[in-house]
mmCIF file of all heavy atoms in Angstrom:
data_model
loop_
_atom_site.group_PDB
_atom_site.id
_atom_site.type_symbol
_atom_site.label_atom_id
_atom_site.label_comp_id
_atom_site.label_asym_id
_atom_site.label_seq_id
_atom_site.Cartn_x
_atom_site.Cartn_y
_atom_site.Cartn_z
ATOM 1 N N ALA A 1 165.536 87.353 60.380
ATOM 2 C CA ALA A 1 166.113 87.230 61.805
ATOM 3 C C ALA A 1 165.003 87.451 62.772
ATOM 4 O O ALA A 1 163.940 88.102 62.493
ATOM 5 C CB ALA A 1 167.216 88.291 61.971
ATOM 6 N N LEU A 2 165.187 86.886 63.986
ATOM 7 C CA LEU A 2 164.250 87.042 65.108
ATOM 8 C C LEU A 2 165.021 87.874 66.077
ATOM 9 O O LEU A 2 166.073 87.710 66.361
ATOM 10 C CB LEU A 2 163.828 85.753 65.663
ATOM 11 C CG LEU A 2 163.218 84.733 64.784
ATOM 12 C CD1 LEU A 2 162.981 83.368 65.355
ATOM 13 C CD2 LEU A 2 161.877 85.287 64.265
ATOM 14 N N GLU A 3 164.226 88.794 66.805
ATOM 15 C CA GLU A 3 164.770 89.602 67.850
ATOM 16 C C GLU A 3 164.022 89.337 69.095
ATOM 17 O O GLU A 3 162.758 89.370 69.103
ATOM 18 C CB GLU A 3 164.699 91.149 67.424
ATOM 19 C CG GLU A 3 165.347 92.037 68.432
ATOM 20 C CD GLU A 3 165.234 93.509 67.945
ATOM 21 O OE1 GLU A 3 164.820 93.747 66.902
ATOM 22 O OE2 GLU A 3 165.552 94.355 68.749
ATOM 23 N N PHE A 4 164.757 89.182 70.171
ATOM 24 C CA PHE A 4 164.119 88.983 71.489
ATOM 25 C C PHE A 4 164.588 89.947 72.535
ATOM 26 O O PHE A 4 165.718 90.504 72.454
ATOM 27 C CB PHE A 4 164.542 87.508 72.000
ATOM 28 C CG PHE A 4 164.088 86.473 71.171
ATOM 29 C CD1 PHE A 4 164.927 85.873 70.127
ATOM 30 C CD2 PHE A 4 162.828 85.899 71.290
ATOM 31 C CE1 PHE A 4 164.503 84.879 69.335
ATOM 32 C CE2 PHE A 4 162.425 84.882 70.524
ATOM 33 C CZ PHE A 4 163.279 84.380 69.529
ATOM 34 N N ASP A 5 163.758 90.370 73.448
ATOM 35 C CA ASP A 5 164.119 91.265 74.532
ATOM 36 C C ASP A 5 165.006 90.442 75.476
ATOM 37 O O ASP A 5 164.468 89.549 76.100
ATOM 38 C CB ASP A 5 162.778 91.733 75.151
ATOM 39 C CG ASP A 5 163.022 92.619 76.327
ATOM 40 O OD1 ASP A 5 164.242 92.998 76.645
ATOM 41 O OD2 ASP A 5 162.062 93.093 77.015
ATOM 42 N N ALA A 6 166.199 90.820 75.520
ATOM 43 C CA ALA A 6 167.201 90.070 76.419
ATOM 44 C C ALA A 6 166.762 90.006 77.754
ATOM 45 O O ALA A 6 166.946 88.980 78.491
ATOM 46 C CB ALA A 6 168.561 90.608 76.163
ATOM 47 N N ALA A 7 166.371 91.098 78.446
ATOM 48 C CA ALA A 7 165.895 91.109 79.821
ATOM 49 C C ALA A 7 164.832 90.145 80.054
ATOM 50 O O ALA A 7 164.844 89.403 81.058
ATOM 51 C CB ALA A 7 165.610 92.483 80.248
ATOM 52 N N ALA A 8 163.835 90.145 79.125
ATOM 53 C CA ALA A 8 162.694 89.213 79.251
ATOM 54 C C ALA A 8 163.147 87.773 79.162
ATOM 55 O O ALA A 8 162.685 86.897 79.936
ATOM 56 C CB ALA A 8 161.712 89.538 78.230
ATOM 57 N N VAL A 9 164.068 87.425 78.287
ATOM 58 C CA VAL A 9 164.524 86.105 78.079
ATOM 59 C C VAL A 9 165.387 85.648 79.346
ATOM 60 O O VAL A 9 165.158 84.510 79.862
ATOM 61 C CB VAL A 9 165.435 85.958 76.840
ATOM 62 C CG1 VAL A 9 166.027 84.557 76.803
ATOM 63 C CG2 VAL A 9 164.632 86.231 75.597
ATOM 64 N N ARG A 10 166.133 86.599 79.921
ATOM 65 C CA ARG A 10 166.904 86.210 81.112
ATOM 66 C C ARG A 10 165.893 85.947 82.249
ATOM 67 O O ARG A 10 166.069 85.019 83.075
ATOM 68 C CB ARG A 10 167.840 87.357 81.568
ATOM 69 C CG ARG A 10 169.109 87.289 80.708
ATOM 70 C CD ARG A 10 170.206 88.224 81.332
ATOM 71 N NE ARG A 10 169.787 89.586 81.470
ATOM 72 C CZ ARG A 10 169.865 90.516 80.408
ATOM 73 N NH1 ARG A 10 170.374 90.192 79.272
ATOM 74 N NH2 ARG A 10 169.551 91.762 80.664
ATOM 75 N N GLU A 11 164.907 86.743 82.411
ATOM 76 C CA GLU A 11 163.916 86.554 83.455
ATOM 77 C C GLU A 11 163.145 85.282 83.330
ATOM 78 O O GLU A 11 162.940 84.543 84.266
ATOM 79 C CB GLU A 11 162.857 87.749 83.455
ATOM 80 C CG GLU A 11 161.929 87.674 84.556
ATOM 81 C CD GLU A 11 162.532 87.746 85.938
ATOM 82 O OE1 GLU A 11 163.475 88.445 86.095
ATOM 83 O OE2 GLU A 11 161.880 87.191 86.890
ATOM 84 N N LEU A 12 162.794 84.882 82.046
ATOM 85 C CA LEU A 12 162.145 83.651 81.748
ATOM 86 C C LEU A 12 163.074 82.468 82.148
ATOM 87 O O LEU A 12 162.663 81.422 82.662
ATOM 88 C CB LEU A 12 161.705 83.529 80.330
ATOM 89 C CG LEU A 12 160.879 82.306 79.886
ATOM 90 C CD1 LEU A 12 159.638 82.091 80.693
ATOM 91 C CD2 LEU A 12 160.621 82.434 78.421
ATOM 92 N N CYS A 13 164.356 82.584 81.837
ATOM 93 C CA CYS A 13 165.287 81.552 82.133
ATOM 94 C C CYS A 13 165.385 81.374 83.588
ATOM 95 O O CYS A 13 165.582 80.261 84.175
ATOM 96 C CB CYS A 13 166.636 81.773 81.546
ATOM 97 S SG CYS A 13 166.705 81.710 79.714
ATOM 98 N N ASN A 14 165.414 82.436 84.401
ATOM 99 C CA ASN A 14 165.464 82.396 85.847
ATOM 100 C C ASN A 14 164.202 81.761 86.462
ATOM 101 O O ASN A 14 164.246 81.025 87.421
ATOM 102 C CB ASN A 14 165.647 83.792 86.472
ATOM 103 C CG ASN A 14 167.105 84.269 86.267
ATOM 104 O OD1 ASN A 14 167.986 83.525 86.095
ATOM 105 N ND2 ASN A 14 167.257 85.641 86.214
ATOM 106 N N GLU A 15 162.977 82.027 85.858
ATOM 107 C CA GLU A 15 161.697 81.526 86.309
ATOM 108 C C GLU A 15 161.596 80.035 85.952
ATOM 109 O O GLU A 15 160.893 79.284 86.751
ATOM 110 C CB GLU A 15 160.565 82.296 85.791
ATOM 111 C CG GLU A 15 160.539 83.737 86.245
ATOM 112 C CD GLU A 15 159.453 84.551 85.588
ATOM 113 O OE1 GLU A 15 158.709 83.968 84.748
ATOM 114 O OE2 GLU A 15 159.344 85.795 85.899
ATOM 115 N N ASP A 16 162.024 79.653 84.877
ATOM 116 C CA ASP A 16 161.781 78.272 84.360
ATOM 117 C C ASP A 16 163.075 77.627 83.987
ATOM 118 O O ASP A 16 163.725 77.916 82.967
ATOM 119 C CB ASP A 16 160.845 78.275 83.140
ATOM 120 C CG ASP A 16 160.431 76.892 82.716
ATOM 121 O OD1 ASP A 16 161.137 75.902 83.047
ATOM 122 O OD2 ASP A 16 159.421 76.757 82.007
ATOM 123 N N SER A 17 163.565 76.646 84.791
ATOM 124 C CA SER A 17 164.931 76.094 84.617
ATOM 125 C C SER A 17 165.058 75.291 83.365
ATOM 126 O O SER A 17 166.037 75.237 82.726
ATOM 127 C CB SER A 17 165.258 75.199 85.811
ATOM 128 O OG SER A 17 164.348 74.105 85.918
ATOM 129 N N ALA A 18 163.910 74.698 82.857
ATOM 130 C CA ALA A 18 163.878 73.975 81.539
ATOM 131 C C ALA A 18 164.208 74.955 80.420
ATOM 132 O O ALA A 18 164.997 74.655 79.600
ATOM 133 C CB ALA A 18 162.574 73.257 81.339
ATOM 134 N N VAL A 19 163.595 76.104 80.476
ATOM 135 C CA VAL A 19 163.896 77.130 79.389
ATOM 136 C C VAL A 19 165.333 77.538 79.540
ATOM 137 O O VAL A 19 165.921 77.727 78.486
ATOM 138 C CB VAL A 19 162.978 78.341 79.550
ATOM 139 C CG1 VAL A 19 163.330 79.465 78.640
ATOM 140 C CG2 VAL A 19 161.511 77.862 79.298
ATOM 141 N N GLY A 20 165.861 77.807 80.746
ATOM 142 C CA GLY A 20 167.173 78.176 80.946
ATOM 143 C C GLY A 20 168.189 77.202 80.430
ATOM 144 O O GLY A 20 169.141 77.635 79.740
ATOM 145 N N ARG A 21 167.903 75.940 80.654
ATOM 146 C CA ARG A 21 168.748 74.825 80.092
ATOM 147 C C ARG A 21 168.807 74.844 78.587
ATOM 148 O O ARG A 21 169.727 74.664 77.965
ATOM 149 C CB ARG A 21 168.401 73.473 80.720
ATOM 150 C CG ARG A 21 168.940 73.246 82.030
ATOM 151 C CD ARG A 21 168.846 71.736 82.420
ATOM 152 N NE ARG A 21 167.410 71.304 82.386
ATOM 153 C CZ ARG A 21 166.495 71.424 83.379
ATOM 154 N NH1 ARG A 21 166.862 72.146 84.471
ATOM 155 N NH2 ARG A 21 165.248 71.084 83.195
ATOM 156 N N SER A 22 167.558 75.053 78.058
ATOM 157 C CA SER A 22 167.468 74.979 76.533
ATOM 158 C C SER A 22 168.243 76.179 75.929
ATOM 159 O O SER A 22 168.895 75.996 74.949
ATOM 160 C CB SER A 22 165.964 75.052 76.166
ATOM 161 O OG SER A 22 165.298 73.915 76.549
ATOM 162 N N VAL A 23 168.069 77.401 76.501
ATOM 163 C CA VAL A 23 168.687 78.551 75.936
ATOM 164 C C VAL A 23 170.280 78.277 76.146
ATOM 165 O O VAL A 23 171.048 78.563 75.184
ATOM 166 C CB VAL A 23 168.205 79.754 76.620
ATOM 167 C CG1 VAL A 23 169.123 81.014 76.313
ATOM 168 C CG2 VAL A 23 166.711 80.126 76.261
ATOM 169 N N SER A 24 170.718 77.935 77.262
ATOM 170 C CA SER A 24 172.153 77.698 77.445
ATOM 171 C C SER A 24 172.723 76.677 76.558
ATOM 172 O O SER A 24 173.826 76.826 75.988
ATOM 173 C CB SER A 24 172.377 77.253 78.975
ATOM 174 O OG SER A 24 171.996 78.340 79.851
ATOM 175 N N THR A 25 171.975 75.634 76.353
ATOM 176 C CA THR A 25 172.458 74.597 75.421
ATOM 177 C C THR A 25 172.509 75.143 74.044
ATOM 178 O O THR A 25 173.571 74.732 73.309
ATOM 179 C CB THR A 25 171.538 73.282 75.513
ATOM 180 O OG1 THR A 25 171.454 72.813 76.865
ATOM 181 C CG2 THR A 25 171.960 72.210 74.513
ATOM 182 N N ALA A 26 171.567 75.855 73.627
ATOM 183 C CA ALA A 26 171.557 76.417 72.259
ATOM 184 C C ALA A 26 172.743 77.421 72.068
ATOM 185 O O ALA A 26 173.517 77.459 71.048
ATOM 186 C CB ALA A 26 170.257 77.136 71.949
ATOM 187 N N VAL A 27 172.958 78.255 73.046
ATOM 188 C CA VAL A 27 174.040 79.239 73.006
ATOM 189 C C VAL A 27 175.397 78.484 73.046
ATOM 190 O O VAL A 27 176.317 78.871 72.365
ATOM 191 C CB VAL A 27 173.931 80.292 74.265
ATOM 192 C CG1 VAL A 27 175.181 81.110 74.317
ATOM 193 C CG2 VAL A 27 172.683 81.135 74.021
ATOM 194 N N ALA A 28 175.571 77.516 73.927
ATOM 195 C CA ALA A 28 176.741 76.711 74.040
ATOM 196 C C ALA A 28 177.153 76.067 72.715
ATOM 197 O O ALA A 28 178.265 75.932 72.260
ATOM 198 C CB ALA A 28 176.689 75.735 75.138
ATOM 199 N N ALA A 29 176.072 75.591 71.981
ATOM 200 C CA ALA A 29 176.311 74.911 70.710
ATOM 201 C C ALA A 29 176.841 75.848 69.755
ATOM 202 O O ALA A 29 177.851 75.559 68.894
ATOM 203 C CB ALA A 29 175.088 74.221 70.210
ATOM 204 N N VAL A 30 176.286 77.084 69.652
ATOM 205 C CA VAL A 30 176.859 78.083 68.753
ATOM 206 C C VAL A 30 178.297 78.504 69.090
ATOM 207 O O VAL A 30 179.074 78.587 68.141
ATOM 208 C CB VAL A 30 175.884 79.313 68.779
ATOM 209 C CG1 VAL A 30 176.500 80.521 68.042
ATOM 210 C CG2 VAL A 30 174.481 79.026 68.199
ATOM 211 N N ILE A 31 178.537 78.681 70.383
ATOM 212 C CA ILE A 31 179.860 79.056 70.831
ATOM 213 C C ILE A 31 180.877 77.922 70.426
ATOM 214 O O ILE A 31 181.958 78.125 69.912
ATOM 215 C CB ILE A 31 179.962 79.307 72.363
ATOM 216 C CG1 ILE A 31 179.107 80.529 72.665
ATOM 217 C CG2 ILE A 31 181.286 79.357 72.816
ATOM 218 C CD1 ILE A 31 178.949 80.784 74.099
ATOM 219 N N ALA A 32 180.437 76.659 70.692
ATOM 220 C CA ALA A 32 181.429 75.563 70.257
ATOM 221 C C ALA A 32 181.666 75.535 68.777
ATOM 222 O O ALA A 32 182.776 75.272 68.356
ATOM 223 C CB ALA A 32 180.775 74.181 70.720
ATOM 224 N N ASP A 33 180.641 75.709 68.043
ATOM 225 C CA ASP A 33 180.822 75.695 66.535
ATOM 226 C C ASP A 33 181.705 76.849 66.129
ATOM 227 O O ASP A 33 182.623 76.663 65.254
ATOM 228 C CB ASP A 33 179.506 75.866 65.848
ATOM 229 C CG ASP A 33 179.588 75.726 64.346
ATOM 230 O OD1 ASP A 33 180.158 74.769 63.871
ATOM 231 O OD2 ASP A 33 179.124 76.634 63.637
ATOM 232 N N ARG A 34 181.537 78.012 66.648
ATOM 233 C CA ARG A 34 182.478 79.173 66.349
ATOM 234 C C ARG A 34 183.778 78.939 66.788
ATOM 235 O O ARG A 34 184.798 79.326 66.013
ATOM 236 C CB ARG A 34 181.775 80.450 66.865
ATOM 237 C CG ARG A 34 180.502 80.804 66.169
ATOM 238 C CD ARG A 34 179.982 82.102 66.737
ATOM 239 N NE ARG A 34 178.678 82.374 66.057
ATOM 240 C CZ ARG A 34 177.932 83.469 66.300
ATOM 241 N NH1 ARG A 34 178.359 84.457 67.148
ATOM 242 N NH2 ARG A 34 176.753 83.664 65.674
ATOM 243 N N LEU A 35 184.068 78.420 67.933
ATOM 244 C CA LEU A 35 185.394 78.131 68.435
ATOM 245 C C LEU A 35 186.070 77.097 67.489
ATOM 246 O O LEU A 35 187.218 77.174 67.218
ATOM 247 C CB LEU A 35 185.431 77.541 69.900
ATOM 248 C CG LEU A 35 185.203 78.626 70.880
ATOM 249 C CD1 LEU A 35 184.931 78.033 72.337
ATOM 250 C CD2 LEU A 35 186.308 79.671 71.034
ATOM 251 N N ASP A 36 185.345 76.138 67.067
ATOM 252 C CA ASP A 36 185.956 75.002 66.189
ATOM 253 C C ASP A 36 186.303 75.707 64.793
ATOM 254 O O ASP A 36 187.334 75.422 64.246
ATOM 255 C CB ASP A 36 184.890 73.963 65.921
ATOM 256 C CG ASP A 36 185.416 72.792 65.154
ATOM 257 O OD1 ASP A 36 186.653 72.398 65.295
ATOM 258 O OD2 ASP A 36 184.678 72.276 64.338
ATOM 259 N N SER A 37 185.497 76.578 64.302
ATOM 260 C CA SER A 37 185.649 77.292 63.013
ATOM 261 C C SER A 37 186.927 78.189 63.180
ATOM 262 O O SER A 37 187.772 78.222 62.350
ATOM 263 C CB SER A 37 184.548 78.129 62.593
ATOM 264 O OG SER A 37 183.439 77.294 62.390
ATOM 265 N N ALA A 38 187.065 78.846 64.333
ATOM 266 C CA ALA A 38 188.164 79.742 64.590
ATOM 267 C C ALA A 38 189.420 78.902 64.647
ATOM 268 O O ALA A 38 190.537 79.330 64.106
ATOM 269 C CB ALA A 38 188.057 80.575 65.810
ATOM 270 N N ARG A 39 189.385 77.784 65.369
ATOM 271 C CA ARG A 39 190.584 76.875 65.513
ATOM 272 C C ARG A 39 190.967 76.395 64.113
ATOM 273 O O ARG A 39 192.154 76.464 63.734
ATOM 274 C CB ARG A 39 190.186 75.690 66.333
ATOM 275 C CG ARG A 39 191.302 74.609 66.460
ATOM 276 C CD ARG A 39 190.717 73.240 67.011
ATOM 277 N NE ARG A 39 191.608 72.226 66.803
ATOM 278 C CZ ARG A 39 191.686 71.398 65.736
ATOM 279 N NH1 ARG A 39 190.817 71.665 64.757
ATOM 280 N NH2 ARG A 39 192.516 70.510 65.711
ATOM 281 N N THR A 40 190.048 76.026 63.219
ATOM 282 C CA THR A 40 190.414 75.560 61.967
ATOM 283 C C THR A 40 191.083 76.606 61.124
ATOM 284 O O THR A 40 192.061 76.409 60.463
ATOM 285 C CB THR A 40 189.138 74.961 61.228
ATOM 286 O OG1 THR A 40 188.607 73.928 62.023
ATOM 287 C CG2 THR A 40 189.443 74.453 59.860
ATOM 288 N N ARG A 41 190.498 77.841 61.149
ATOM 289 C CA ARG A 41 191.139 78.977 60.376
ATOM 290 C C ARG A 41 192.482 79.251 60.906
ATOM 291 O O ARG A 41 193.385 79.552 60.108
ATOM 292 C CB ARG A 41 190.237 80.256 60.491
ATOM 293 C CG ARG A 41 188.942 80.064 59.700
ATOM 294 C CD ARG A 41 188.206 81.449 59.610
ATOM 295 N NE ARG A 41 187.858 82.118 60.837
ATOM 296 C CZ ARG A 41 186.792 81.876 61.567
ATOM 297 N NH1 ARG A 41 185.770 81.026 61.068
ATOM 298 N NH2 ARG A 41 186.572 82.434 62.603
ATOM 299 N N LEU A 42 192.755 79.228 62.158
ATOM 300 C CA LEU A 42 194.046 79.474 62.738
ATOM 301 C C LEU A 42 195.068 78.408 62.269
ATOM 302 O O LEU A 42 196.199 78.681 61.918
ATOM 303 C CB LEU A 42 194.041 79.558 64.219
ATOM 304 C CG LEU A 42 193.311 80.984 64.754
ATOM 305 C CD1 LEU A 42 193.224 80.716 66.222
ATOM 306 C CD2 LEU A 42 194.291 82.035 64.389
ATOM 307 N N LEU A 43 194.511 77.154 62.257
ATOM 308 C CA LEU A 43 195.409 76.078 61.942
ATOM 309 C C LEU A 43 195.746 76.142 60.386
ATOM 310 O O LEU A 43 196.854 75.879 59.907
ATOM 311 C CB LEU A 43 194.835 74.682 62.237
ATOM 312 C CG LEU A 43 194.861 74.247 63.677
ATOM 313 C CD1 LEU A 43 194.048 73.078 64.016
ATOM 314 C CD2 LEU A 43 196.214 74.048 64.194
ATOM 315 N N ASP A 44 194.805 76.565 59.608
ATOM 316 C CA ASP A 44 194.979 76.783 58.203
ATOM 317 C C ASP A 44 196.032 77.783 57.893
ATOM 318 O O ASP A 44 196.823 77.749 57.000
ATOM 319 C CB ASP A 44 193.707 77.123 57.517
ATOM 320 C CG ASP A 44 192.805 75.911 57.316
ATOM 321 O OD1 ASP A 44 193.243 74.720 57.400
ATOM 322 O OD2 ASP A 44 191.627 76.145 56.938
ATOM 323 N N LEU A 45 196.028 78.810 58.776
ATOM 324 C CA LEU A 45 197.018 79.921 58.531
ATOM 325 C C LEU A 45 198.368 79.638 59.027
ATOM 326 O O LEU A 45 199.417 79.969 58.398
ATOM 327 C CB LEU A 45 196.487 81.238 59.164
ATOM 328 C CG LEU A 45 195.329 81.890 58.595
ATOM 329 C CD1 LEU A 45 194.806 83.042 59.532
ATOM 330 C CD2 LEU A 45 195.785 82.529 57.290
ATOM 331 N N PHE A 46 198.577 78.921 60.131
ATOM 332 C CA PHE A 46 199.766 78.825 60.871
ATOM 333 C C PHE A 46 200.307 77.467 61.072
ATOM 334 O O PHE A 46 201.572 77.300 61.535
ATOM 335 C CB PHE A 46 199.723 79.540 62.260
ATOM 336 C CG PHE A 46 199.296 80.932 62.117
ATOM 337 C CD1 PHE A 46 198.052 81.460 62.589
ATOM 338 C CD2 PHE A 46 200.240 81.900 61.632
ATOM 339 C CE1 PHE A 46 197.731 82.777 62.513
ATOM 340 C CE2 PHE A 46 199.868 83.228 61.508
ATOM 341 C CZ PHE A 46 198.616 83.689 61.992
ATOM 342 N N ALA A 47 199.603 76.403 60.854
ATOM 343 C CA ALA A 47 200.036 75.072 61.125
ATOM 344 C C ALA A 47 200.478 74.304 59.821
ATOM 345 O O ALA A 47 200.132 74.878 58.654
ATOM 346 C CB ALA A 47 198.920 74.224 61.763
ATOM 347 N N PRO A 48 201.223 73.293 60.044
ATOM 348 C CA PRO A 48 201.545 72.582 58.763
ATOM 349 C C PRO A 48 200.433 72.012 58.012
ATOM 350 O O PRO A 48 199.382 71.877 58.573
ATOM 351 C CB PRO A 48 202.410 71.359 59.359
ATOM 352 C CG PRO A 48 202.793 71.740 60.654
ATOM 353 C CD PRO A 48 201.767 72.682 61.197
#
């Protein structure tokens, strides 16, 4: 695993909009994948 100083990353994102967009896009992709997985698990449990 890689560990980053969150405050430093936020500051870098504020200073460089391209970095901010890249970080936001990467985080959004992870969130979307996890929401899709959670949806599938819930449907497997409770849907026809």
Side-chain angles (χ1 to χ4, degrees):
L2 302 173
E3 181 178 357
F4 298 93
D5 179 2
V9 171
R10 284 193 301 272
E11 183 63 32
L12 182 60
C13 290
N14 286 334
E15 292 173 1
D16 187 339
S17 61
V19 172
R21 278 191 304 275
S22 295
V23 170
S24 296
T25 300
V27 170
V30 171
I31 291 170
D33 184 56
R34 290 181 183 184
L35 285 171
D36 185 40
S37 295
R39 173 194 170 273
T40 301
R41 286 193 304 271
L42 288 170
L43 286 172
D44 285 344
L45 287 172
F46 300 111

